[in-house]
């Protein structure tokens, strides 16, 4: 929400240059923070998928060997 509000304010074109620059810098910082969180979440999801596949394979292998 913060980023959207910053963009809306900047898109009006009615801000003094100094204020627009400050808002732009805040937007860049927020974007960087969001990208970092997305990257972290993606890595966690990949790890969960890997673990799930390993568990499924192990269960299949145990069932196969039990026959």
């Amino acid at each position: 929400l913060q980023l959207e509000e910053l963009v809306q304010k900047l898109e009006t074109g009615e801000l003094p240059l100094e204020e627009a620059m400050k808002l732009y810098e805040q937007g860049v910082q927020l974007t960087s923070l969001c990208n970092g969180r997305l990257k972290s979440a993606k890595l966690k999801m990949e790890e969960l998928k890997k673990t799930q596949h390993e568990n499924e394979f192990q269960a299949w292998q145990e069932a196969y060997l039990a026959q």
Side-chain angles (χ1 to χ4, degrees):
L1 254 177
Q2 275 183 313
L3 190 54
E4 286 180 25
E5 291 172 2
L6 290 176
V7 170
Q8 287 176 355
K9 288 179 182 179
L10 288 169
E11 285 179 341
T12 65
E14 298 175 6
L15 297 173
L17 181 58
E18 222 176 280
E19 188 176 345
M21 292 293 290
K22 287 179 184 179
L23 291 179
Y24 180 80
E25 288 176 17
Q26 289 176 3
V28 169
Q29 290 173 353
L30 285 171
T31 300
S32 178
L33 176 67
C34 290
N35 284 334
R37 289 184 180 177
L38 284 172
K39 184 177 180 179
S40 177
K42 182 179 177 183
L43 291 173
K44 286 180 185 179
M45 289 175 62
E46 288 174 359
E47 184 62 34
L48 288 171
K49 282 183 181 180
K50 180 181 174 186
T51 302
Q52 180 183 3
H53 289 298
E54 289 172 356
N55 290 340
E56 288 172 359
F57 176 74
Q58 184 177 5
W60 173 84
Q61 188 177 26
E62 289 171 1
Y64 179 77
L65 293 174
Q67 295 178 359

